[in-house]
Amino acid sequence: SSTLGKVLIARSTRGVCAILLGDSADELAEDLANRFPQATLVASDAAIKDDLMRVRRFIDNPVEGLDLSLDMRGTPFQRRVWEKLRAIPAGRTVSYRELARWISPLANPRAVGSACAANPIALAIPCHRIVRSDGSLAGYRWGIERKRALIQKEAMA
């Protein structure tokens, strides 16, 4: 549990492959199983204890950053979007259009939005820092209220 609700962390041999946020442990377990249908899921609090401590610290004080070894599984385009997102500092937001331009002059802002929606690693890949061109909040896989709370907390720090 955290101030953002329930947190589920999954780790592969290469690093954290999922940080999911939600309202119930069952919802998160189902989401994880759907995202990794070929995986054998093994519950192990010991394996993710350090990761969970870092995530909780980040939620409480996002300016410290979230330094985790990540196993980013996605298309080459999604991984490019996610890498660019990781370069956005806490307290700053960027529009979908601006992020698309960082990736390529031909990148489509809607494709950037789709890559954000596919992101399985909340917080460590900070899709919450992406807003519409007018600065308003757009959808967020983990809920618009969580997005608002994260942006506000980062802005205050």
Side-chain angles (χ1 to χ4, degrees):
S1 292
S2 76
T3 57
L4 296 176
K6 299 288 184 189
V7 178
L8 184 147
I9 298 174
R11 174 175 267 291
S12 72
T13 56
R14 292 185 300 218
V16 172
C17 57
I19 300 175
L20 309 177
L21 305 173
D23 296 323
S24 79
D26 291 340
E27 163 197 348
L28 295 177
E30 184 178 328
D31 187 5
L32 183 67
N34 289 336
R35 287 176 181 274
F36 300 97
Q38 305 300 317
T40 301
L41 304 177
V42 179
S44 173
D45 290 340
I48 55 97
K49 180 181 178 184
D50 193 44
D51 298 331
L52 184 57
M53 179 186 66
R54 290 176 186 193
V55 167
R56 283 186 174 147
R57 191 177 318 135
F58 175 83
I59 290 170
D60 292 339
N61 189 8
V63 174
E64 289 184 17
L66 183 55
D67 183 29
L68 296 170
S69 169
L70 301 182
D71 179 3
M72 295 189 294
R73 300 177 185 201
T75 68
F77 179 78
Q78 287 171 336
R79 289 193 311 269
R80 271 198 328 247
V81 169
W82 299 341
E83 286 294 345
K84 294 293 184 187
L85 284 165
R86 294 185 73 206
I88 301 169
R92 178 160 184 227
T93 58
V94 173
S95 73
Y96 291 96
R97 179 171 283 118
E98 184 177 358
L99 184 59
R101 274 186 264 155
W102 289 356
I103 293 164
S104 161
L106 303 176
N108 183 314
R110 288 184 188 266
V112 167
S114 293
C116 289
N119 170 24
I121 310 175
L123 309 174
I125 300 174
C127 289
H128 62 275
R129 296 180 186 148
I130 303 301
V131 296
R132 291 187 173 120
S133 293
D134 67 2
S136 65
L137 299 185
Y140 183 56
R141 167 70 183 87
W142 317 109
I144 200 79
E145 288 307 316
R146 284 186 183 94
K147 181 174 187 164
R148 182 175 287 113
L150 284 162
I151 289 172
Q152 288 173 344
K153 189 173 272 198
E154 289 183 1
M156 291 187 312

